[in-house]
Structures are given as structure tokens and as C-alpha cells.
Amino acid sequence: MNAFDLIRSAVGNSLRSKTRTLLTVIAIFIGAFTLTLTTAVGTGINNYIDSTVSAIGASDVMTVTIPAEDSNPLASSGPEEYDPGATVVGGGMGPSSIALTPSDIAALADVDGVLSVDPAISVTADYVQYGDGSQYQAAIGSFIPGMSIDLAAGVAPDMTATDYEVALPVSFVEPLGYAGNDTAIGTSIIIGLTSASGVSSTVTATVVGIAEAPLVGSASVIPNEALTQELYSVQSAGLTEAQADSYAAATVRFDENATETEINALKSDLTDLGYSGTTVSDQIGSFRTVIDAIVLVLNGFAIIALFAAGFGIVNTLLMSVQERTREIGLMKAMGMAGSKIFALFSFEAIFIGFLGSAVGIGAAMLAGLGINTLLAGGLLADLPGLTLVAFDPVSTAVIVVAVMAIAFIAGTIPALRAARQDPIESLRYE
Amino acid sequence: MPVPVLAARDVHKSYGQGATRFDALKGVSLDVHEGESVAIVGKSGSGKSTLMHLLALLDKPTIGAIELSGRDAAALNGAVLNKTRNATFGFVFQQFFLTPGTTVLENVTLPLRIAGVRGAERKRRGMAALAQLELADKAKNRATDLSGGQKQRAVIARALVNNPSVIFADEPTGNLDSATGKVVEDILFDLNRTHGITLIIVTHDEDLAARCDRRIYVRDGLVVDSLTPTIQKEALA
Ligand SMILES: Nc1ncnc2c1ncn2[C@@H]1O[C@H](COP(=O)(O)OP(=O)(O)OP(=O)(O)O)[C@@H](O)[C@H]1O
Ligand SMILES: [Mg+2]
């Protein structure tokens, strides 16, 4: 029998007792449906994390800080000795770090693999205001060249422009008094801030873009380079030079084609010098780990369901072999090789697995579509970039292949029994 | 003397072990020559089917040898045995063994499908075999919907679809009324005469046995008498 006829016969045989095949297919369907959906949720969330990564920072930058010697507040080992030269930034329960000085910046620039070092300037605004509208508290974000913003309208602030440009979070549009995202573009916004010496003043900037809400971190107003420098100089008025030149962190750029090992080497070089470097993916990595763990547990349940379905296949095919004892005997008598009989029943098992997984995945895709539409208008309306259930062709194909593999393994028991049947015994079978 | 297509050399066949051991054949020797029609005759349980299965290479003798064109079948590997049964032999078993739920044509072309013959060629040869047995109009019917006589004709069509040189028929008329049985007999002997197909027919019907060139009588696992009318006539002449 050639392969085509084998497959055709197997498909025909499996459709001969429709009820039995249907029941087995349902069992596989349940497993495949669950597995597809849980995997798709994992994919959806991870896709969103990935797209958010570029919004948080470019992939070729590292945030460098000087960790305080005992930066773990839980492992307290008594008071630390006072160092008059060191300014401790942060504190409380969070990991504290020591401020970087211009000499640190210079030292960092000398490290192998570092392309450029920029001190991270943090600016704190009191409020933002549009025209005569209400004043709203706002965090001023930092925008690193190479970073991309998930825009709802307009363009990203131009880093090379000398004009003051800003991107507003989408959640600010209505409170500030705009009719919509598009009407906000091109208008002037007032940023109010207080200098170190306590003088309140304002800076006016042009709104060029509206940014979607991020998954992690709070929504912030994103200024361009010129505006950041202006805000920083207004804020620093009245500080001594040493105070103005101390930074919580520095941003180090490295080769954008750097491999994982090169990045790790750079990190350990920095650690040797007493610094600590964190890339954006380090920060996001912990998120992914949690999501992956949850998806793994859910997939575990689905796989257990598939194993149960595998026993269904064994049972179905054993019945089928029993029922077709005489037919098998006849085929063997007429010169069909045992290996072909084995293939015939294996194909039947694989076909049942394929039916179950194809229908299961199809149904999961429909369900995913429904869930996405439902959530987009409800629970996840505030996270417009998030598609909770996303289907990745590779993992979908892996599921089909895995289910077919389980079906094949389950089918080997009945298929072997059929292949080993003695034709004379089978022909005598009543 | 030409080499016989099939020969049994002091063949014994036992079933079971120890106390339940049963000797179905107790030393049978016979030759079957090409183009012959041979009847294996005997009471129920005498070992006729067992002997036929051994000659058809479906089973192996406990002691003794089956020779295929002078070669010991025990020396042939599984693939050669399968090929021989598929391409050289045609089978009509004691029961019809038609696969339920499939068409007459599909049943008839089963040996060709096993041989790996392509669809169109298979259909052509299947239809030719059915036409030979005047069943062409039933090709698309379900095999299980045929009458008893039609089923037996379909089974014969299946036995000759691969142009075999030997047809084994176990009680080919056993399930049929005498008129239909006669039609089936005529078909088999016509194949024997016009196509030179060797016939090995197992039967307990004396009339059918009488139409064969030679009769081998089996009783309790032993050949008791072997009559060859033509040769006897020659000897008398
Ligand atoms: N697998 C088996 N195990 C035990 N005994 C068997 C087996 N197969 C056949 N026999 C016995 O061998 C003997 C011969 O059987 P066989 O089928 O050859 O008889 P037969 O001559 O064809 O009879 P019938 O005309 O009724 O078909 C019988 O007594 C039968 O019970
Ligand atoms: Mg019999």
C-alpha cells in the first residue's frame, strides 16, 4: 500500500464509527483548546511587555548607579560609617545608592565597550497646565535617544530640536481641557516648577505628541533634550556647583549589536569598578519570569488533559482493532506487511489527534477573538496597546505537532497489536 | 516431470500444547501442477482448511515442508511470502470477508491497493474483474448490501483481480443454493480452462469435487485416497 492510500484508508476508517471518533476528538479538543488559549495569553502579555520595553528605554543603554555598600535593607548589619564625600540618593525601604560625580562619569567613559555616558538628569515639575485650565501634578520622564514612544497621536519630541517640545500621556488630554488627542497637538503647555532656592517659575513648551499609557511605571510627560536642559537649569538655580553636578544615575550607551555575553562582560567590568549596570531587559525580565511561570502552570493542566485524551485514543483504537480483526486478517493474508498495518493504525491515531487539535485551536482562536473584543471595551480599556490573547504561528504549530505526537504514541499500543495479529487466527475470529 | 507449483512434503500441523495438543495434519504429501484443478475433500474437521492454509503460505507446518516451485517456503523471508500471496495467489475463503461500509469496487481492489497500484489503474482492473463476473453495475454499492450469490461473485472478482496463477477456494459454494453454486463453479472452471489458473478447491460437495482434474481425500489429518481420473484413464488405455 502506498502512503497516499494508507492515509486515505486511515481517514476513512476513523470516520467509519463516527460517534466513537467524535468522543475521542472531544477529549483532545478540550486539551488542545486549553493549551492554545493559555499559550496565547502568555504570548499576548509577553508581546505587550516587549513593545513596552522599547518605550521604557532603548536596547543599547544601561542605567549605571553606585550601589550603597549594604543596599539590601532587609539584611541590615548595623549602622554604616559616615563618609562626608558621599551623597546618598534615595533611602527608606528602597535600595539606596550613592550619587555619581563628574569624575565617575569620566571613569565610566573609559570602560571598554562604553560608547558614551550621559548623566541622568531628573527633573521634578510641580504641575502642567493648558491655558487657564486646572493645574495637574505631573512626572517628567526622561527620553533617551533611540527610545520609541507608543504614540496615540502626533510625533515623538525631536531630540535635536532647539525648541521646547513635549509629549503628553493620553490620560492628561481630557483633564487638561482638550477636546481630543489631535486638538492637543501644536498647542502650548505650561510646566510649573520650583527651583532649589524656592522660587516658582514656569516654562512653556509645544505639545507634539500624545503617548499611550505604559504597562509599567506611571504615565509621565516626556520632554525633548532642549526642554530637559532648560527645566534642569531652572530647577538647579541656587545650588552649589557640586550639588548641581551630582547625579542619581548615568546612562551608558553601548554597541547596539552587542551580544548577551558582551553585555554581561560590560556589567561585570562595571561591578569591578564599584558600579552597577541595569539594562531595560533586566528590569522587564522579572515580569516575564512571573508571566512565564503562570503560563507554565496553566499549560501543565492542559497537558494533563491531553494525556487523559491519549488514553481515550488507546481505548478507541483497541476497540477498532478488535472490531476489524477479520479485516486485518484478510489484509495480512493478501500480503499486507505488518509494518503497513502498523502505519495504517498509527495514521488513524494521528488523524484523530490532528482533528482534535485543529478544531481545538480553531475554537481557541474564535474564543480569543471574543475575549479580546470583550476586554478591549472593559477591563483592559486603559491599556490600549495590550492584546491579551495573541496567537503565535510557531507555538500554534508546535501544539498541533505535539498533540499529533501524543496521539501517535497512544496509537502504538493498538497499532502493534494489529500488526502482530496472526492472519489465520484473525480469519477464524467470529 | 515438471516442477510442481506447490508441494507438501510429509506435512504435520499441531495446534495447542501438552494435554490440549491436537494434531490436525499427521503427515500429508502432495504435488499440485500448474494449470491443474485439485479438490481437497473430506468431512468437517478433517483438516482441509488447515492444509489449504499451509499450501497458501498463510501458516507454517509444525513438521515437514511446503515447496513453492521446488523451493522450501521456510527459506523465504516475510517480504517474499507477502509478495507471493499478494501477486501470485488469489483467495476465496470459507466466509466472504467483505469489509462492511465500503463499496464493492473497494473490496474487489483490496489486493491491488495492498500491492500499491495507483488509483486509476486500480479502478480499471477492478471494473474489468467485476465485468467478468457480471457485477459491474454493483461496483458502487455497499458490499454488505449484495445478495449471497453476488457476494460470492464479488469475492471471486477480488481473488482474480491481480491476475493470480493459483486460486485457493475454501468451500466456494458452501453458502449458496445449488443453482447459484453452479454458476460460481462454472466461473471458476472457466478461469481454469481459459486462463490456465491453477485451482485448489476445498469442498465436501462430491459433485463439485467430481468436476476437478484430481481429488485428494483427507480423513483425520491424513490423505486416504488420491484419484486422478485423467491419468487413470490413460493408464487403462
Ligand atoms: N487454532 C486452532 N486451535 C486448535 N485446534 C484447531 C485450530 N484450528 C483448527 N483446529 C482444529 O483442527 C482440525 C481441522 O480444522 P480445519 O479447519 O482444517 O477443518 P476443515 O476440514 O476445514 O473442516 P470444515 O469442513 O468444517 O471447514 C479441527 O478439528 C479443528 O478443531
Ligand atoms: Mg474448513
Side-chain angles (χ1 to χ4, degrees):
Chain A
M1 233 186 230
N2 57 40
F4 174 76
D5 280 325
L6 274 176
I7 292 171
R8 225 186 54 145
S9 304
V11 170
N13 289 342
S14 62
L15 298 178
R16 241 195 267 168
S17 61
K18 291 193 180 61
T19 319
R20 203 167 58 198
T21 304
L22 181 72
L23 290 173
T24 318
V25 165
I26 287 174
I28 300 162
F29 165 84
I30 293 169
F33 177 82
T34 317
L35 190 59
T36 311
L37 215 51
T38 52
T39 308
V41 169
T43 310
I45 295 177
N46 281 335
N47 278 352
Y48 184 60
I49 291 176
D50 286 343
S51 76
T52 315
V53 165
S54 54
I56 292 172
S59 58
D60 59 346
V61 296
M62 205 182 266
T63 305
V64 177
T65 54
I66 306 175
E69 242 147 72
D70 184 9
S71 61
N72 184 355
L74 297 175
S76 173
S77 55
E80 237 168 85
E81 207 176 318
Y82 174 66
D83 176 359
T87 318
V88 176
V89 198
M93 284 298 284
S96 55
S97 58
I98 296 163
L100 285 94
T101 60
S103 66
D104 288 317
I105 304 296
L108 283 171
D110 288 340
V111 175
D112 245 7
V114 173
L115 297 182
S116 70
V117 187
D118 291 301
I121 301 169
S122 74
V123 184
T124 315
D126 295 332
Y127 61 86
V128 289
Q129 183 183 22
Y130 170 55
D132 297 329
S134 321
Q135 299 175 339
Y136 288 94
Q137 290 187 5
I140 306 293
S142 50
F143 187 93
I144 303 150
M147 153 180 169
S148 77
I149 306 176
D150 212 355
L151 286 164
V155 296
D158 183 356
M159 287 302 133
T160 54
T162 49
D163 294 334
Y164 302 153
E165 293 183 359
V166 75
L168 290 178
V170 73
S171 56
F172 276 51
V173 172
E174 268 184 56
L176 284 173
Y178 294 114
N181 290 349
D182 293 325
T183 54
I185 307 295
T187 59
S188 292
I189 192 113
I190 300 156
I191 301 168
L193 70 169
T194 310
S195 73
S197 50
V199 182
S200 294
S201 49
T202 61
V203 176
T204 304
T206 310
V207 177
V208 294
I210 304 295
E212 298 277 19
L215 176 66
V216 274
S218 54
S220 56
V221 173
I222 302 164
N224 69 347
E225 184 65 25
L227 180 57
T228 307
Q229 291 299 343
E230 171 63 14
L231 291 173
Y232 190 66
S233 67
V234 170
Q235 178 182 280
S236 309
L239 285 182
T240 64
E241 202 165 312
Q243 281 170 321
D245 284 346
S246 81
Y247 313 104
T251 305
V252 161
R253 298 194 62 155
F254 49 87
D255 186 1
E256 59 186 326
N257 299 319
T259 61
E260 190 99 8
T261 30
E262 283 168 345
I263 294 172
N264 285 336
L266 179 56
K267 275 189 212 163
S268 69
D269 284 349
L270 292 173
T271 309
D272 291 345
L273 292 171
Y275 301 104
S276 151
T278 326
T279 60
V280 174
S281 44
D282 289 340
Q283 293 165 24
I284 295 302
S286 49
F287 263 95
R288 286 200 83 124
T289 313
V290 172
I291 301 288
D292 286 345
I294 294 171
V295 168
L296 202 70
V297 170
L298 292 175
N299 281 355
F301 287 120
I303 286 166
I304 290 169
L306 280 177
F307 269 103
F311 285 97
I313 293 180
V314 175
N315 195 32
T316 301
L317 287 185
L318 279 180
M319 275 204 254
S320 182
V321 169
Q322 181 90 358
E323 244 170 41
R324 278 153 47 200
T325 303
R326 286 148 61 100
E327 192 187 330
I328 296 163
L330 182 72
M331 290 193 292
K332 293 196 87 171
M334 290 183 166
M336 184 137 154
S339 58
K340 293 283 170 67
I341 304 264
F342 179 87
L344 187 63
F345 281 89
S346 291
F347 280 138
E348 190 172 335
I350 292 170
F351 176 69
I352 291 173
F354 171 75
L355 266 190
S357 60
V359 176
I361 287 170
M365 283 184 166
L366 283 181
L369 211 69
I371 291 170
N372 283 341
T373 325
L374 219 71
L375 290 184
L379 208 59
L380 299 179
D382 294 341
L383 291 173
L386 175 58
T387 309
L388 185 66
V389 189
F391 296 94
D392 158 30
V394 174
S395 43
T396 308
V398 166
I399 291 170
V400 177
V401 172
V403 172
M404 282 164 75
I406 290 175
F408 169 74
I409 293 167
T412 51
I413 302 166
L416 271 179
R417 176 178 285 198
R420 288 189 182 145
Q421 249 171 35
D422 173 24
I424 296 298
E425 294 277 313
S426 307
L427 290 174
R428 281 187 191 274
Y429 181 85
E430 295 291 335
Chain B
M1 195 71 187
V3 180
V5 255
L6 282 167
R9 301 268 175 259
D10 191 29
V11 163
H12 294 247
K13 181 69 187 176
S14 309
Y15 294 109
Q17 295 283 315
T20 59
R21 184 183 159 103
F22 180 81
D23 299 321
L25 294 178
K26 301 165 182 165
V28 173
S29 295
L30 62 92
D31 285 358
V32 179
H33 292 277
E34 205 172 335
E36 246 190 330
S37 59
V38 178
I40 299 174
V41 198
K43 285 193 307 177
S44 178
S46 56
K48 307 184 295 291
S49 293
T50 303
L51 178 58
M52 188 196 97
H53 291 155
L54 289 173
L55 288 172
L57 311 178
L58 283 166
D59 210 350
K60 291 192 168 64
T62 315
I63 306 172
I66 300 293
E67 285 174 8
L68 177 69
S69 301
R71 288 168 64 198
D72 187 352
L76 303 174
N77 67 29
V80 173
L81 288 180
N82 281 336
K83 181 95 181 95
T84 306
R85 284 205 307 272
N86 182 248
T88 315
F89 295 169
F91 293 99
V92 177
F93 292 105
Q94 212 164 347
Q95 287 123 348
F96 298 127
F97 294 125
L98 290 166
T99 306
T102 58
T103 67
V104 174
L105 183 64
E106 280 173 306
N107 269 282
V108 166
T109 54
L110 179 63
L112 299 180
R113 214 164 58 209
I114 291 170
V117 176
R118 288 236 169 245
E121 167 76 356
R122 207 159 68 203
K123 187 173 176 193
R124 193 185 61 72
R125 288 169 65 177
M127 288 310 293
L130 281 172
Q132 209 173 336
L133 290 140
E134 286 158 17
L135 268 181
D137 56 326
K138 299 285 181 190
K140 293 271 182 294
N141 287 43
R142 278 201 315 208
T144 35
D145 292 345
L146 296 180
S147 74
Q150 288 168 338
K151 278 181 185 164
Q152 193 65 311
R153 278 190 280 152
V155 164
I156 294 172
R158 182 174 67 191
L160 58 88
V161 75
N162 55 350
N163 296 324
S165 44
V166 184
I167 287 183
F168 294 90
D170 196 347
E171 305 280 12
T173 57
N175 299 309
L176 307 175
D177 63 74
S178 54
T180 324
K182 193 88 175 64
V183 172
V184 169
E185 280 175 28
D186 290 345
I187 294 164
L188 286 173
F189 286 107
D190 181 56
L191 286 169
N192 173 245
R193 257 193 320 278
T194 56
H195 298 271
I197 296 175
T198 309
L199 281 184
I200 297 176
I201 301 175
V202 170
T203 186
H204 57 256
D205 176 355
E206 273 299 339
D207 292 339
L208 171 55
R211 294 184 66 177
C212 293
D213 297 340
R214 196 146 65 91
R215 284 168 295 285
I216 292 161
Y217 290 91
V218 182
R219 188 192 294 156
D220 295 334
L222 286 168
V223 173
V224 289
D225 195 6
S226 180
L227 289 178
T228 315
T230 45
I231 295 173
Q232 280 177 335
K233 275 179 212 153
E234 279 164 19
L236 288 171

